[in-house]
Amino acid sequence: MPVRPAADTPARQAAAPVRLVYPAIGTDMEVAPTGVLPDGGMELPDDPDVAGWYRYGPAPGDAVGSAVIASHSGSPRNPVGRLYGLREAAVGDEVTVVDAEGVERRHVVTSVTALGKAGLDFAPHFRRDGAPVLTLITCGGEWDEATGHYTDNILVTAVPAEG
Amino acid sequence: MRKTLPAAVTAAVGLAVAAPLSAAAMDHEDGASLSVLHGVPDLTVDVYVDGELTLDDFAPGELAGPLELPAGDYEVAITAADAEDDAAPVLGPVELTLAEGGDYTAAAHLDADGAPTVTAFENDTDALAAGEGRLTVRHIAAAPAVDVWAGEEVVVPGLENPDEASLEIPAGTVPAAISVAGTTEPVLGPADVEVAEGVTTIAYAWGSAADGTLALATQTVEAEHTAPSAVSADVDVAPAGPSAGLLAAGGAALAALAAGAWATVRLRAARA
């Protein structure tokens, strides 16, 4: 069996993503690493023009798992953020992620879904094993006056482009 | 119950060696996972499992594994490195019981009085809250009871050889140190221990206080991580003005091309 000095450190990932470029929806935005809110939800930058990358999961470019990049669709100051247009996403769109070392990674959209937030289980979308995928998330669906939220999450998945 | 590893399992062991370390560590569905830590100073050894030579010239401070094994009882014997077989072990034989789905580290170490011994620890891979990691501290040094420090605070008081304690904490870097219980002068550290999210990080204090060979060993084991419970649950704001109803009616992105085109125009206008 493999033998090594007893000095394990956490496995290194591909460098953190810093920019998301999605020409078909007119988006070119900054990406910052984020974590978890006190209530257990994913932390997102307050500014909807900046997307959060879930730093505890894979980075785009890692060999396995879902790299998650998400943003608010809007805010009081900025009602239409740069991922608001995710609701226009289409299968076949090209999405490019640039990492902190300047490496550009092209992806191709393979699915676009709107899922009701109520009772939505995010575990499959934050998986850390299996085929590598880029998962983009924002809000959409019906605007619910009663709760002050959109009813749905828009989830777009994209796979690393060949070549 | 004595169990001899059949030839077929031995072949599987050979395959496990070729497998990536991280993949082997995560899959416990078919048995148990065993790592071996050598924490006895100044003694290079060979390790036999059920009479088969499994580790050759295993040096102090080294960690072997993980080895995926069927659940069951195993006999482990540790001999001098130049021994021809396991007839005259320096440690053991000891019997290890590995339960289905369990993750274990067998540590050869000095007891509190400085005599070599073997302790089998079970590693906790239970689910962690999103954003948290688990720090497990194990006292396997020839030393009296110790206090474990994280920064300026004692997080585990009075830990004795061969006991352990686990903390679930926000992922991050812990400046860890160890002092003799009730004192403040570190005998080990401070050293930065990185506690990764979704991972059990095990810090071992090993060696001999009297001989001045106290050292820190670390092992990481994938635990069960938890995904965030929601994304953008709050701070949603409908775009201002009469457009709100039109955009909200978009529903699934594939529908309402007119709304989509309108949203594109609005997006560009907002950034202009």
Side-chain angles (χ1 to χ4, degrees):
Chain A
M1 56 173 137
V3 176
R4 62 195 183 279
D8 280 359
T9 51
R12 288 297 129 205
Q13 298 167 311
V18 296
R19 192 162 144 234
L20 177 75
V21 184
Y22 194 153
I25 64 170
T27 288
D28 184 342
M29 69 195 298
E30 181 189 335
V31 180
T34 60
V36 179
L37 295 170
D39 68 0
M42 178 177 166
E43 182 188 14
L44 298 178
D46 288 338
D47 182 353
D49 282 346
V50 178
W53 161 62
Y54 188 61
R55 71 178 195 264
Y56 299 126
D62 281 349
V64 294
S66 170
V68 178
I69 294 179
S71 79
H72 291 302
S73 58
S75 71
R77 190 177 304 182
N78 182 5
V80 181
R82 293 188 186 185
L83 268 192
Y84 187 93
L86 206 61
R87 61 206 62 214
E88 308 167 51
V91 171
D93 285 347
E94 190 169 289
V95 181
T96 297
V97 179
V98 185
D99 76 15
E101 292 168 1
V103 176
E104 297 190 4
R105 294 183 174 90
R106 287 171 43 242
H107 299 73
V108 178
V109 172
T110 51
S111 78
V112 181
T113 42
L115 296 172
K117 286 182 183 177
L120 182 51
D121 176 15
F122 280 93
H125 306 295
F126 283 83
R127 61 176 171 81
R128 295 189 189 167
D129 52 13
V133 72
L134 172 67
T135 302
L136 304 177
I137 307 178
T138 190
C139 296
E142 301 289 320
W143 174 255
D144 186 340
E145 280 290 344
T147 61
H149 297 316
Y150 281 107
T151 55
D152 297 349
N153 278 118
I154 308 269
L155 276 95
V156 170
T157 61
V159 297
E162 300 297 308
Chain B
M1 183 184 75
R2 188 166 302 207
K3 181 172 188 256
T4 305
L5 284 174
V9 177
T10 307
V13 165
L15 288 173
V17 169
L21 205 63
S22 58
M26 283 195 288
D27 182 357
H28 297 158
E29 289 170 6
D30 295 330
S33 189
L34 175 66
S35 300
V36 184
L37 174 70
H38 187 343
V40 179
D42 304 322
L43 186 70
T44 299
V45 298
D46 291 343
V47 179
Y48 289 76
V49 179
D50 282 358
E52 301 269 354
L53 178 63
T54 304
L55 293 173
D56 198 13
D57 291 345
F58 192 38
E62 288 188 326
L63 178 66
L67 186 63
E68 303 302 324
L69 292 169
D73 296 333
Y74 294 88
E75 191 178 82
V76 176
I78 296 172
T79 69
D82 54 2
E84 289 186 11
D85 55 35
D86 64 342
V90 298
L91 265 181
V94 295
E95 188 162 276
L96 298 183
T97 297
L98 308 185
E100 188 81 30
D103 193 300
Y104 302 87
T105 304
H109 66 96
L110 299 177
D111 67 16
D113 301 319
T117 185
V118 177
T119 301
F121 293 99
E122 184 163 7
N123 304 321
D124 188 347
T125 57
D126 284 351
L128 288 158
E132 292 196 341
R134 178 178 290 112
L135 176 62
T136 298
V137 186
R138 293 177 175 155
H139 182 344
I140 54 169
V146 299
D147 288 344
V148 180
W149 299 73
E152 304 295 304
E153 194 190 332
V154 173
V155 290
V156 182
L159 185 67
E160 310 230 11
N161 182 324
D163 295 338
E164 63 177 340
S166 286
L167 308 165
E168 291 173 19
I169 55 176
T173 303
V174 176
I178 288 176
S179 66
V180 171
T183 71
T184 56
E185 185 70 28
V187 293
L188 201 51
D192 281 344
V193 176
E194 203 174 330
V195 177
E197 201 261 9
V199 171
T200 293
T201 298
I202 308 165
Y204 300 86
W206 67 285
S208 165
D211 296 345
T213 56
L214 286 181
L216 177 70
T218 54
Q219 175 185 9
T220 57
V221 178
E222 288 289 325
E224 194 185 319
H225 67 96
T226 301
S229 54
V231 177
S232 193
D234 289 329
V235 198
D236 290 333
V237 178
S243 60
L246 181 63
L247 291 167
L254 295 171
L257 289 172
W262 198 92
T264 304
V265 171
R266 189 179 160 81
L267 185 69
R268 292 192 187 123
R271 285 167 51 215

